[in-house]
Amino acid sequence: MPLALALMVSCTSTQKTARSTTAKNTADSVDFVRSRQNAMLFSDGLREKIVGQPDRAIARFEQAIKVYPTDHASMFELSELYVRKGRLDDALLMARQAVELNPANEWYLLRLAQITKMGARYDEMLETWQKLIRLKPQRPEYYSELAQAYVALGRLPEALSTLDSLEQITGLSEELSMQKFNLHLLNNDATSAIAQVEKLAAAFPFEMRYQAMLAELYMKNGDTAKALRQYELMRETDPADPNVVMSLAEFYKDLGEEDKAFDLLLEAFANPALDVETKVQVMVLWFQGATFSEEIDQKSERIANTLLATHPDSPRGHQLLGDIFLRRSDYEKAREQFVLAATMEPNNYPVWETLLFTDIQLGDYDMLGKHATEALTYFPEQPLLYLFDGYAKYQSARYEAALKAFETGRRLVVNNDRLLGEFFSSIGDTQHKLNNHEASDAAYEKALAINPANATVLNNYAYYLALRRHKLDKAKEMSARSLEFQPENPSFLDTYAWVLYKLEQYDQALEYILKALKASDKPNPTLIEHYGDILYKLGRKDEAWKQWKEAKAAGEGSKLLERKAKEGKLYE
């Protein structure tokens, strides 16, 4: 080759090599710059995310992807931020792209599985969990999620197969067995469902819960023979367990063998290992829905006596026995039990309330006052206790003290119009006794504003107006209204007769006082005295004198009754 040509070729070759090297260096330089810029944007995005600026973080990650389109780390971060913003479709797109670019990344797959679950894309979710299991076959939680995906798609056999695989990894467990149990039931396969519990019971023979569950399943499936064998096996395994005895009691109760069932229940209740509160709850459920009868009453008393013998330091037996006597209207015995219960557990408000009720039923206002005062030391915020306290003071003619109790209690009433009405009614009665008639009328008006149909308030208000000869037309209207609610109430009939008497409508007054006397179950001195007054106004003076004498013999009437009975003359 000629030297010139050789030099020319050599020179041309050198130029091509130089250009190629320059182009490569330029490309490497550009890629380096893009990579560096992407890294800075990604870092900025993470910082904005950490400081709670999601919008700025999104902008940085999106810029990072524009600079470097295969930046799967930014896609992963964006998928989370889009979910937070409710952009589920965008989040799903980012998660898919991240997985496509890096299919072996466990975290990317997990994010995709979570987002597909949110979007109810169960086919894709299932596929993703399958990939995760292939990637990490020893992760038990992935099998659980895959099983859920199968269930969501209605593919129950495959869900069960997945749980079987999980059981090979984790071993037998209650949680897993119950999942399979429920899936078998969902698949209408009761036999396989029971088999799951049988496995549990066989694996853990001293775990009575599994044994009891199995017995109940046999029972529900109509196999009473297997159920009975199971209960007997439980009793042989742990004869001291009261829960086993109670389960057997329930078994016989379901079979209709009430006597045998109740004897077993008492046996369980006689075991101190079972706490008293559980026994009370069981007793409530045992009689739930049953119509009250003498048999139930007697069984309740046997339970109460068993509780007293087994748990002498607990008030529950006394409380239960008190309720039984209360139901029998044996208020004296009921009170004895409630006093014992309150002494043992003074911070039990319902016991005090029931005790005070028995005091009222017995008409023992001295004890009512004593018990109300004691209860208020424990429950000074309970308005009803002040009402009871006020009743006691009112009955002993301590009207100022009664008024104070009623006024204190009414201020504590919250969202209970009925109770508030009772307070205003009592305040009205008490203000009348104190001759504060305007205050009395105002209290009655407030009570009627709360409940215009309060028959007792209508009656009392009308009667006191009649005594004062004040607003007699209003009194007549209210008294007549009270009789619409209680037409056979002798006190209400007497009030209406007395209002008519004050209106000088004596013939009508006589009609209603006779009704009152007929409705009264025993001689009432006030009613008889009023009868005499009405007869006197009708000119039947000898008959009137006779009634006044009978009224005096019947008990305490008005302050003028003695003079009427002695002299045979009407005094008003």
Side-chain angles (χ1 to χ4, degrees):
M1 181 185 294
L3 181 58
L5 183 58
L7 287 170
M8 189 166 52
V9 170
S10 174
C11 190
T12 301
S13 176
T14 301
Q15 288 175 352
K16 285 181 179 180
T17 302
R19 281 199 300 272
S20 175
T21 301
T22 301
K24 183 177 184 302
N25 289 339
T26 301
D28 288 344
S29 178
V30 169
D31 192 55
F32 174 77
V33 170
R34 287 171 56 223
S35 178
R36 185 176 178 80
Q37 186 180 2
N38 168 265
M40 290 176 63
L41 288 166
F42 181 80
S43 178
D44 287 346
L46 287 178
R47 184 170 56 251
E48 298 292 357
K49 176 184 172 183
I50 291 168
V51 299
Q53 296 293 334
D55 291 332
R56 292 182 186 177
I58 287 171
R60 297 296 183 274
F61 289 129
E62 287 176 343
Q63 289 172 8
I65 292 172
K66 284 181 181 178
V67 171
Y68 213 91
T70 58
D71 178 8
H72 46 76
S74 290
M75 294 172 186
F76 175 73
E77 295 295 338
L78 277 173
S79 68
E80 179 188 352
L81 291 167
Y82 285 155
V83 166
R84 291 187 193 177
K85 288 291 183 180
R87 296 166 59 181
L88 206 59
D89 289 340
D90 292 334
L92 183 59
L93 178 63
M94 287 294 102
R96 283 171 176 167
Q97 289 181 359
V99 168
E100 186 178 346
L101 289 165
N102 192 349
N105 189 303
E106 183 180 5
W107 299 106
Y108 292 2
L109 286 164
L110 276 172
R111 177 66 50 78
L112 180 58
Q114 291 162 356
I115 295 172
T116 52
K117 187 175 185 178
M118 290 177 194
R121 297 174 180 270
Y122 298 122
D123 285 314
E124 187 174 0
M125 179 180 74
L126 185 145
E127 183 182 340
T128 306
W129 287 117
Q130 286 174 332
K131 289 178 181 178
L132 278 162
I133 287 173
R134 285 196 293 271
L135 189 66
K136 299 285 183 177
Q138 294 304 312
R139 288 286 178 87
E141 62 270 25
Y142 294 168
Y143 291 87
S144 294
E145 294 289 350
L146 178 59
Q148 288 182 34
Y150 279 126
V151 172
L153 291 166
R155 295 161 64 175
L156 300 184
E158 289 154 293
L160 285 162
S161 177
T162 302
L163 293 178
D164 286 338
S165 298
L166 174 58
E167 192 172 70
Q168 291 176 8
I169 297 170
T170 62
L172 187 67
S173 71
E174 178 179 349
E175 181 182 2
L176 190 52
S177 293
M178 294 315 299
Q179 284 181 22
K180 293 164 73 175
F181 169 80
N182 290 322
L183 285 178
H184 281 303
L185 287 182
L186 200 60
N187 204 32
N188 296 315
D189 187 354
T191 302
S192 296
I194 292 174
Q196 291 299 322
V197 182
E198 287 174 335
K199 280 173 59 179
L200 272 178
F204 305 99
F206 295 100
E207 180 53 74
M208 289 298 111
R209 283 190 309 112
Y210 302 152
Q211 310 301 330
M213 189 187 306
L214 183 56
E216 288 171 13
L217 284 171
Y218 287 146
M219 191 67 181
K220 286 179 182 177
N221 210 38
D223 197 338
T224 55
K226 274 190 175 181
L228 179 58
R229 281 200 301 273
Q230 185 64 26
Y231 282 124
E232 289 172 344
L233 176 64
M234 290 164 61
R235 202 164 188 194
E236 289 173 11
T237 304
D238 192 354
D241 188 343
N243 291 297
V244 173
V245 181
M246 277 204 303
S247 296
L248 194 55
E250 287 284 354
F251 170 77
Y252 282 113
K253 187 172 188 286
D254 290 340
L255 288 179
E257 297 186 36
E258 293 287 343
D259 291 340
K260 193 168 187 177
F262 188 72
D263 287 342
L264 285 165
L265 182 71
L266 284 182
E267 182 184 333
F269 279 16
N271 190 332
L274 186 65
D275 70 279
V276 68
E277 300 299 336
T278 299
K279 290 173 182 175
V280 171
Q281 292 172 13
V282 169
M283 185 201 71
V284 171
L285 292 173
W286 189 270
F287 295 121
Q288 193 173 49
T291 303
F292 180 75
S293 64
E294 186 177 345
E295 181 186 2
I296 289 178
D297 185 67
Q298 291 173 354
K299 285 181 175 179
S300 299
E301 186 171 4
R302 289 177 66 189
I303 289 174
N305 289 325
T306 300
L307 294 182
L308 286 172
T310 310
H311 304 279
D313 296 329
S314 170
R316 295 294 169 262
H318 295 294
Q319 200 172 344
L320 177 56
L321 202 54
D323 287 335
I324 292 165
F325 289 133
L326 196 63
R327 199 162 48 238
R328 296 174 183 172
S329 299
D330 191 341
Y331 300 114
E332 195 66 61
K333 287 185 178 179
R335 181 165 68 177
E336 290 174 7
Q337 295 302 319
F338 289 126
V339 166
L340 289 168
T343 303
M344 297 174 76
E345 191 179 28
N347 61 342
N348 187 330
Y349 175 74
V351 170
W352 285 108
E353 190 175 303
T354 313
L355 172 58
L356 295 170
F357 173 78
T358 60
D359 287 332
I360 288 179
Q361 292 299 312
L362 288 165
D364 190 343
Y365 292 98
D366 289 338
M367 291 307 297
L368 177 67
K370 177 180 180 296
H371 291 147
T373 300
E374 190 175 353
L376 280 166
T377 62
Y378 297 100
F379 304 98
E381 77 292 347
Q382 287 290 346
L384 186 59
L385 299 181
Y386 291 93
L387 190 66
F388 285 128
D389 186 43
Y391 286 159
K393 290 177 169 64
Y394 181 91
Q395 292 296 327
S396 61
R398 296 163 57 199
Y399 299 123
E400 292 284 0
L403 183 62
K404 182 179 178 181
F406 292 139
E407 289 288 359
T408 301
R410 77 166 179 83
R411 294 187 182 95
L412 295 171
V413 178
V414 178
N415 298 326
N416 190 336
D417 284 347
R418 182 177 178 182
L419 181 57
L420 189 60
E422 289 295 325
F423 272 110
F424 281 124
S425 173
S426 299
I427 289 169
D429 295 344
T430 310
Q431 292 285 24
H432 170 77
K433 291 291 186 181
L434 292 168
N435 293 316
N436 298 328
H437 299 309
E438 287 187 12
S440 174
D441 293 353
Y444 286 138
E445 292 290 350
K446 288 177 181 177
L448 290 174
I450 292 170
N451 180 13
N454 189 321
T456 301
V457 174
L458 288 166
N459 174 75
N460 292 358
Y461 192 7
Y463 185 69
Y464 293 145
L465 287 176
L467 288 179
R468 289 151 46 201
R469 294 183 184 274
H470 184 61
K471 297 181 180 180
L472 290 175
D473 289 337
K474 180 181 177 73
K476 182 180 179 181
E477 181 184 341
M478 289 192 296
S479 181
R481 181 112 170 95
S482 73
L483 286 171
E484 291 176 10
F485 299 111
Q486 298 185 34
E488 301 298 322
N489 187 311
S491 178
F492 291 8
L493 288 163
D494 171 65
T495 295
Y496 193 61
W498 200 240
V499 173
L500 293 169
Y501 174 87
K502 294 292 184 178
L503 286 166
E504 300 182 2
Q505 297 174 15
Y506 302 122
D507 288 327
Q508 283 184 277
L510 179 62
E511 177 187 348
Y512 277 90
I513 197 63
L514 287 172
K515 288 182 179 180
L517 288 165
K518 185 178 180 180
S520 182
D521 57 356
K522 61 182 179 180
N524 184 305
T526 300
L527 270 62
I528 299 170
E529 182 182 359
H530 286 170
Y531 182 31
D533 293 354
I534 294 167
L535 288 172
Y536 193 93
K537 288 291 187 179
L538 287 168
R540 298 161 61 177
K541 296 181 180 180
D542 289 340
E543 293 178 67
W545 194 2
K546 179 183 177 184
Q547 294 303 319
W548 289 331
K549 290 177 180 177
E550 288 186 11
K552 186 174 182 297
E556 185 178 354
S558 73
K559 295 177 181 178
L560 298 171
L561 176 60
E562 188 167 347
R563 288 185 65 187
K564 294 177 189 177
K566 183 178 181 180
E567 301 175 21
K569 295 180 182 179
L570 177 64
Y571 292 96
E572 295 184 299

Coordinates of all heavy atoms in Angstrom, one line a residue, residues 193-256:
A193 N -66.9 -30.0 58.7 CA -66.8 -29.0 59.7 C -66.6 -29.6 61.1 O -65.7 -29.2 61.9 CB -68.0 -28.1 59.7
I194 N -67.4 -30.5 61.4 CA -67.3 -31.2 62.7 C -66.0 -31.9 62.9 O -65.4 -32.0 63.9 CB -68.5 -32.2 62.9 CG1 -69.8 -31.4 63.1 CG2 -68.3 -33.1 64.1 CD1 -71.0 -32.3 63.1
A195 N -65.5 -32.5 61.7 CA -64.2 -33.2 61.8 C -63.1 -32.2 62.2 O -62.1 -32.7 62.9 CB -63.9 -33.7 60.4
Q196 N -63.2 -30.9 61.9 CA -62.1 -30.0 62.3 C -62.1 -29.9 63.8 O -61.1 -29.8 64.4 CB -62.4 -28.6 61.6 CG -62.2 -28.6 60.1 CD -60.7 -28.9 59.8 OE1 -59.8 -28.5 60.5 NE2 -60.5 -29.6 58.7
V197 N -63.3 -29.8 64.4 CA -63.4 -29.7 65.9 C -63.0 -31.0 66.5 O -62.3 -31.0 67.6 CB -64.8 -29.2 66.3 CG1 -64.9 -29.1 67.8 CG2 -65.2 -28.0 65.6
E198 N -63.3 -32.1 65.9 CA -62.8 -33.4 66.4 C -61.3 -33.5 66.5 O -60.8 -34.0 67.5 CB -63.4 -34.5 65.6 CG -64.9 -34.7 65.8 CD -65.5 -35.8 64.8 OE1 -64.9 -36.0 63.7 OE2 -66.5 -36.4 65.2
K199 N -60.7 -32.9 65.5 CA -59.2 -32.9 65.5 C -58.7 -32.1 66.6 O -57.7 -32.5 67.3 CB -58.7 -32.3 64.2 CG -58.7 -33.3 63.0 CD -58.3 -32.6 61.7 CE -56.9 -31.9 61.7 NZ -56.6 -31.3 60.4
L200 N -59.3 -30.9 66.9 CA -58.9 -30.1 68.0 C -59.1 -30.8 69.3 O -58.2 -30.8 70.2 CB -59.7 -28.8 68.0 CG -59.2 -27.6 67.2 CD1 -60.2 -26.4 67.3 CD2 -57.8 -27.1 67.7
A201 N -60.3 -31.4 69.5 CA -60.6 -32.1 70.7 C -59.7 -33.2 71.0 O -59.3 -33.5 72.1 CB -62.1 -32.5 70.7
A202 N -59.3 -33.9 69.9 CA -58.4 -35.1 70.1 C -57.0 -34.6 70.4 O -56.2 -35.3 71.2 CB -58.4 -35.9 68.8
A203 N -56.6 -33.5 69.8 CA -55.2 -33.0 70.0 C -55.0 -32.4 71.4 O -54.0 -32.4 72.0 CB -54.8 -32.0 68.9
F204 N -56.1 -31.8 71.9 CA -56.1 -31.1 73.2 C -57.2 -31.7 74.1 O -58.2 -31.0 74.4 CB -56.2 -29.6 73.0 CG -55.2 -29.0 72.1 CD1 -55.6 -28.7 70.8 CD2 -54.0 -28.7 72.5 CE1 -54.7 -28.2 69.9 CE2 -53.0 -28.2 71.6 CZ -53.4 -27.9 70.3
P205 N -57.0 -32.9 74.6 CA -58.1 -33.5 75.4 C -58.5 -32.9 76.7 O -59.6 -33.1 77.2 CB -57.6 -34.9 75.6 CG -56.1 -34.8 75.5 CD -55.9 -33.7 74.5
F206 N -57.6 -32.1 77.2 CA -57.9 -31.4 78.5 C -58.4 -30.0 78.3 O -58.6 -29.3 79.3 CB -56.6 -31.4 79.4 CG -56.2 -32.8 79.8 CD1 -55.2 -33.5 79.2 CD2 -56.9 -33.5 80.8 CE1 -54.9 -34.8 79.5 CE2 -56.6 -34.8 81.2 CZ -55.5 -35.4 80.6
E207 N -58.5 -29.6 77.1 CA -59.1 -28.2 76.8 C -60.6 -28.4 76.7 O -61.1 -28.8 75.7 CB -58.5 -27.6 75.5 CG -59.0 -26.3 75.2 CD -59.0 -25.3 76.3 OE1 -57.8 -24.8 76.6 OE2 -60.0 -25.0 76.9
M208 N -61.3 -28.1 77.8 CA -62.8 -28.4 77.9 C -63.6 -27.5 76.9 O -64.7 -27.9 76.5 CB -63.3 -28.1 79.3 CG -62.8 -29.1 80.3 SD -63.4 -30.8 79.9 CE -61.8 -31.6 79.5
R209 N -63.0 -26.4 76.5 CA -63.8 -25.6 75.5 C -64.0 -26.4 74.2 O -65.1 -26.3 73.6 CB -63.0 -24.3 75.2 CG -63.2 -23.2 76.2 CD -62.6 -21.9 75.8 NE -61.3 -22.0 75.2 CZ -60.9 -21.8 73.9 NH1 -61.9 -21.5 73.0 NH2 -59.7 -21.9 73.5
Y210 N -63.0 -27.0 73.7 CA -63.1 -27.8 72.5 C -64.0 -29.0 72.7 O -64.8 -29.3 71.8 CB -61.7 -28.3 72.0 CG -60.7 -27.2 71.8 CD1 -59.3 -27.5 72.0 CD2 -61.1 -25.9 71.5 CE1 -58.4 -26.5 71.8 CE2 -60.1 -25.0 71.3 CZ -58.7 -25.2 71.4 OH -57.8 -24.3 71.2
Q211 N -63.9 -29.6 73.8 CA -64.8 -30.8 74.1 C -66.3 -30.3 74.1 O -67.2 -31.0 73.6 CB -64.4 -31.4 75.4 CG -62.9 -31.7 75.6 CD -62.4 -32.7 74.5 OE1 -63.1 -33.5 74.0 NE2 -61.1 -32.5 74.2
A212 N -66.5 -29.2 74.8 CA -67.9 -28.7 74.9 C -68.4 -28.2 73.5 O -69.6 -28.5 73.2 CB -67.9 -27.5 75.9
M213 N -67.5 -27.6 72.7 CA -67.9 -27.2 71.4 C -68.3 -28.4 70.5 O -69.3 -28.4 69.8 CB -66.7 -26.5 70.7 CG -67.1 -25.8 69.4 SD -65.6 -25.1 68.6 CE -64.9 -24.1 69.9
L214 N -67.6 -29.5 70.7 CA -67.8 -30.7 69.9 C -69.2 -31.3 70.4 O -70.0 -31.7 69.5 CB -66.7 -31.7 70.1 CG -66.8 -33.0 69.3 CD1 -66.9 -32.7 67.8 CD2 -65.6 -33.9 69.6
A215 N -69.4 -31.3 71.6 CA -70.7 -31.8 72.1 C -71.9 -31.0 71.6 O -72.9 -31.5 71.2 CB -70.7 -31.8 73.7
E216 N -71.7 -29.7 71.6 CA -72.8 -28.8 71.1 C -73.0 -29.0 69.6 O -74.2 -29.0 69.2 CB -72.4 -27.3 71.4 CG -72.5 -26.9 72.9 CD -71.9 -25.6 73.1 OE1 -71.7 -24.8 72.1 OE2 -71.7 -25.2 74.3
L217 N -71.9 -29.3 68.9 CA -72.1 -29.5 67.5 C -72.8 -30.8 67.2 O -73.7 -30.9 66.3 CB -70.7 -29.6 66.8 CG -70.0 -28.2 66.6 CD1 -68.6 -28.4 66.1 CD2 -70.8 -27.4 65.5
Y218 N -72.5 -31.8 68.0 CA -73.2 -33.1 67.9 C -74.7 -32.9 68.1 O -75.6 -33.4 67.4 CB -72.7 -34.1 68.8 CG -71.3 -34.7 68.5 CD1 -70.4 -35.0 69.5 CD2 -71.0 -34.9 67.2 CE1 -69.2 -35.6 69.2 CE2 -69.7 -35.5 66.8 CZ -68.8 -35.8 67.8 OH -67.6 -36.3 67.5
M219 N -75.0 -32.1 69.2 CA -76.4 -31.8 69.5 C -77.1 -31.1 68.4 O -78.2 -31.4 68.0 CB -76.4 -31.0 70.8 CG -77.7 -30.8 71.5 SD -78.3 -32.4 72.1 CE -79.9 -31.9 72.8
K220 N -76.5 -30.0 67.9 CA -77.1 -29.3 66.8 C -77.3 -30.1 65.6 O -78.2 -29.9 64.8 CB -76.2 -28.0 66.5 CG -76.3 -26.9 67.5 CD -75.4 -25.8 67.2 CE -75.4 -24.7 68.3 NZ -74.5 -23.6 67.9
N221 N -76.4 -31.1 65.4 CA -76.5 -31.9 64.2 C -77.5 -33.1 64.4 O -77.6 -34.0 63.6 CB -75.1 -32.5 63.8 CG -75.0 -32.7 62.4 OD1 -75.5 -32.0 61.5 ND2 -74.3 -33.8 62.0
G222 N -78.1 -33.1 65.6 CA -79.2 -34.1 65.9 C -78.6 -35.4 66.4 O -79.4 -36.4 66.5
D223 N -77.3 -35.5 66.7 CA -76.7 -36.7 67.2 C -76.6 -36.6 68.7 O -75.6 -36.4 69.3 CB -75.4 -36.9 66.6 CG -74.9 -38.4 66.7 OD1 -75.4 -39.1 67.6 OD2 -74.0 -38.8 65.9
T224 N -77.8 -36.8 69.4 CA -77.8 -36.7 70.9 C -76.9 -37.8 71.6 O -76.4 -37.6 72.6 CB -79.2 -36.8 71.4 OG1 -79.8 -38.0 70.9 CG2 -80.0 -35.6 70.9
A225 N -76.9 -39.0 71.0 CA -76.1 -40.1 71.6 C -74.6 -39.7 71.7 O -73.9 -39.8 72.7 CB -76.2 -41.3 70.8
K226 N -74.1 -39.1 70.5 CA -72.7 -38.7 70.5 C -72.5 -37.5 71.5 O -71.4 -37.4 72.2 CB -72.2 -38.3 69.1 CG -71.7 -39.4 68.3 CD -71.1 -38.9 67.0 CE -70.5 -40.0 66.1 NZ -69.9 -39.5 64.9
A227 N -73.5 -36.6 71.5 CA -73.4 -35.5 72.4 C -73.3 -35.9 73.9 O -72.4 -35.4 74.6 CB -74.6 -34.5 72.2
L228 N -74.1 -36.9 74.2 CA -74.1 -37.3 75.6 C -72.8 -38.0 76.0 O -72.2 -37.8 77.0 CB -75.3 -38.3 75.8 CG -75.4 -38.9 77.2 CD1 -75.5 -37.8 78.3 CD2 -76.6 -39.9 77.3
R229 N -72.3 -38.9 75.0 CA -71.0 -39.5 75.3 C -69.9 -38.5 75.5 O -69.0 -38.6 76.3 CB -70.7 -40.4 74.1 CG -71.4 -41.8 74.1 CD -70.7 -42.8 73.3 NE -70.6 -42.4 71.9 CZ -71.5 -42.7 71.0 NH1 -72.7 -43.2 71.3 NH2 -71.3 -42.3 69.7
Q230 N -70.0 -37.4 74.7 CA -69.0 -36.4 74.8 C -69.0 -35.7 76.1 O -68.0 -35.4 76.8 CB -69.2 -35.4 73.6 CG -68.1 -34.3 73.5 CD -66.7 -34.8 73.2 OE1 -66.6 -35.9 72.6 NE2 -65.7 -34.1 73.6
Y231 N -70.2 -35.4 76.6 CA -70.4 -34.7 77.9 C -69.9 -35.6 79.0 O -69.3 -35.2 80.0 CB -71.9 -34.3 78.1 CG -72.3 -33.1 77.4 CD1 -73.4 -33.1 76.5 CD2 -71.6 -31.9 77.6 CE1 -73.8 -31.9 75.8 CE2 -72.0 -30.7 76.9 CZ -73.1 -30.7 76.0 OH -73.4 -29.6 75.4
E232 N -70.2 -36.9 78.9 CA -69.8 -37.9 79.9 C -68.3 -38.0 79.9 O -67.6 -38.1 81.0 CB -70.4 -39.2 79.7 CG -71.9 -39.2 80.0 CD -72.6 -40.5 79.6 OE1 -72.0 -41.3 78.8 OE2 -73.8 -40.8 80.1
L233 N -67.7 -38.0 78.7 CA -66.2 -38.0 78.7 C -65.6 -36.8 79.3 O -64.6 -36.9 80.0 CB -65.8 -38.1 77.2 CG -64.3 -38.0 76.9 CD1 -63.6 -39.3 77.5 CD2 -64.0 -38.0 75.4
M234 N -66.2 -35.6 79.1 CA -65.7 -34.4 79.7 C -65.8 -34.5 81.2 O -64.9 -34.0 81.9 CB -66.6 -33.2 79.2 CG -66.4 -32.8 77.8 SD -67.8 -31.7 77.1 CE -67.6 -30.3 78.2
R235 N -66.9 -35.0 81.7 CA -67.0 -35.1 83.2 C -66.0 -36.1 83.8 O -65.5 -35.9 84.9 CB -68.4 -35.6 83.5 CG -68.8 -35.2 84.9 CD -70.3 -35.2 85.2 NE -70.6 -34.7 86.5 CZ -71.7 -34.8 87.1 NH1 -72.7 -35.5 86.6 NH2 -71.9 -34.3 88.3
E236 N -65.7 -37.2 83.0 CA -64.7 -38.1 83.5 C -63.3 -37.5 83.5 O -62.5 -37.7 84.4 CB -64.7 -39.4 82.6 CG -65.9 -40.3 82.7 CD -65.9 -41.4 81.7 OE1 -64.9 -41.5 81.0 OE2 -67.0 -42.0 81.5
T237 N -63.1 -36.7 82.5 CA -61.8 -36.0 82.3 C -61.5 -35.0 83.4 O -60.4 -34.9 84.0 CB -61.7 -35.3 81.0 OG1 -61.9 -36.3 79.9 CG2 -60.3 -34.7 80.8
D238 N -62.6 -34.2 83.8 CA -62.4 -33.2 84.8 C -63.7 -33.1 85.6 O -64.5 -32.2 85.4 CB -62.1 -31.8 84.1 CG -61.6 -30.8 85.2 OD1 -61.7 -31.1 86.4 OD2 -61.2 -29.7 84.8
P239 N -63.9 -34.0 86.6 CA -65.1 -34.0 87.3 C -65.3 -32.8 88.2 O -66.4 -32.5 88.7 CB -65.0 -35.3 88.2 CG -63.5 -35.6 88.2 CD -63.0 -35.1 86.9
A240 N -64.3 -32.0 88.5 CA -64.4 -30.9 89.4 C -64.7 -29.6 88.6 O -64.9 -28.5 89.3 CB -63.1 -30.7 90.2
D241 N -64.8 -29.7 87.3 CA -65.0 -28.5 86.5 C -66.5 -28.2 86.5 O -67.3 -28.9 85.9 CB -64.5 -28.7 85.1 CG -64.6 -27.4 84.3 OD1 -65.3 -26.4 84.7 OD2 -63.9 -27.3 83.2
P242 N -67.0 -27.0 87.1 CA -68.4 -26.7 87.2 C -69.0 -26.4 85.8 O -70.2 -26.6 85.6 CB -68.5 -25.5 88.1 CG -67.1 -24.9 88.1 CD -66.2 -26.0 87.8
N243 N -68.1 -25.9 84.9 CA -68.6 -25.6 83.5 C -69.0 -26.8 82.8 O -70.0 -26.8 82.0 CB -67.5 -24.9 82.8 CG -67.2 -23.5 83.3 OD1 -68.0 -22.6 83.3 ND2 -66.0 -23.3 83.8
V244 N -68.4 -27.9 83.1 CA -68.8 -29.2 82.4 C -70.2 -29.6 82.9 O -71.0 -30.0 82.2 CB -67.7 -30.3 82.8 CG1 -68.2 -31.6 82.3 CG2 -66.4 -30.0 82.1
V245 N -70.4 -29.4 84.2 CA -71.7 -29.8 84.8 C -72.8 -28.9 84.2 O -73.9 -29.3 83.9 CB -71.6 -29.7 86.4 CG1 -73.0 -30.1 87.0 CG2 -70.5 -30.6 86.9
M246 N -72.4 -27.6 84.1 CA -73.4 -26.7 83.5 C -73.7 -27.0 82.1 O -74.9 -26.9 81.6 CB -72.9 -25.2 83.6 CG -73.2 -24.6 85.0 SD -73.2 -22.8 84.9 CE -71.7 -22.4 84.2
S247 N -72.7 -27.4 81.3 CA -73.0 -27.9 79.9 C -73.9 -29.1 79.9 O -74.8 -29.1 79.0 CB -71.6 -28.2 79.3 OG -70.8 -27.0 79.2
L248 N -73.7 -30.0 80.8 CA -74.5 -31.2 80.8 C -76.0 -30.8 81.2 O -76.9 -31.3 80.7 CB -73.9 -32.2 81.8 CG -74.5 -33.6 81.8 CD1 -74.4 -34.2 80.4 CD2 -73.8 -34.5 82.8
A249 N -76.1 -29.8 82.1 CA -77.4 -29.3 82.5 C -78.1 -28.7 81.3 O -79.3 -29.0 81.1 CB -77.2 -28.3 83.6
E250 N -77.4 -27.9 80.5 CA -78.0 -27.3 79.3 C -78.4 -28.4 78.3 O -79.5 -28.3 77.7 CB -77.0 -26.4 78.6 CG -76.7 -25.1 79.3 CD -77.9 -24.1 79.1 OE1 -78.8 -24.4 78.3 OE2 -77.8 -23.0 79.8
F251 N -77.6 -29.5 78.3 CA -77.9 -30.6 77.4 C -79.3 -31.2 77.8 O -80.2 -31.4 76.9 CB -76.8 -31.7 77.5 CG -77.1 -33.0 76.8 CD1 -77.1 -33.1 75.4 CD2 -77.5 -34.1 77.6 CE1 -77.3 -34.3 74.8 CE2 -77.8 -35.3 76.9 CZ -77.7 -35.4 75.6
Y252 N -79.5 -31.5 79.0 CA -80.7 -32.1 79.5 C -81.9 -31.1 79.4 O -83.0 -31.5 79.1 CB -80.6 -32.7 80.9 CG -79.9 -34.0 81.0 CD1 -78.6 -34.1 81.5 CD2 -80.4 -35.1 80.4 CE1 -77.9 -35.3 81.6 CE2 -79.8 -36.4 80.4 CZ -78.5 -36.4 81.0 OH -77.8 -37.6 81.0
K253 N -81.6 -29.9 79.6 CA -82.7 -28.8 79.4 C -83.2 -28.8 78.0 O -84.4 -28.7 77.7 CB -82.1 -27.5 79.8 CG -83.2 -26.4 79.9 CD -82.6 -25.1 80.5 CE -83.6 -24.0 80.8 NZ -84.1 -23.4 79.5
D254 N -82.2 -28.9 77.0 CA -82.6 -28.9 75.6 C -83.4 -30.2 75.2 O -84.2 -30.1 74.3 CB -81.3 -28.8 74.7 CG -80.7 -27.5 74.8 OD1 -81.3 -26.5 75.2 OD2 -79.5 -27.4 74.4
L255 N -83.1 -31.2 76.0 CA -83.9 -32.5 75.7 C -85.3 -32.5 76.4 O -86.1 -33.4 76.2 CB -83.1 -33.7 76.2 CG -81.9 -34.1 75.4 CD1 -81.2 -35.3 76.1 CD2 -82.2 -34.4 74.0
G256 N -85.5 -31.4 77.2 CA -86.8 -31.3 77.9 C -86.8 -32.0 79.3 O -87.9 -32.1 79.9

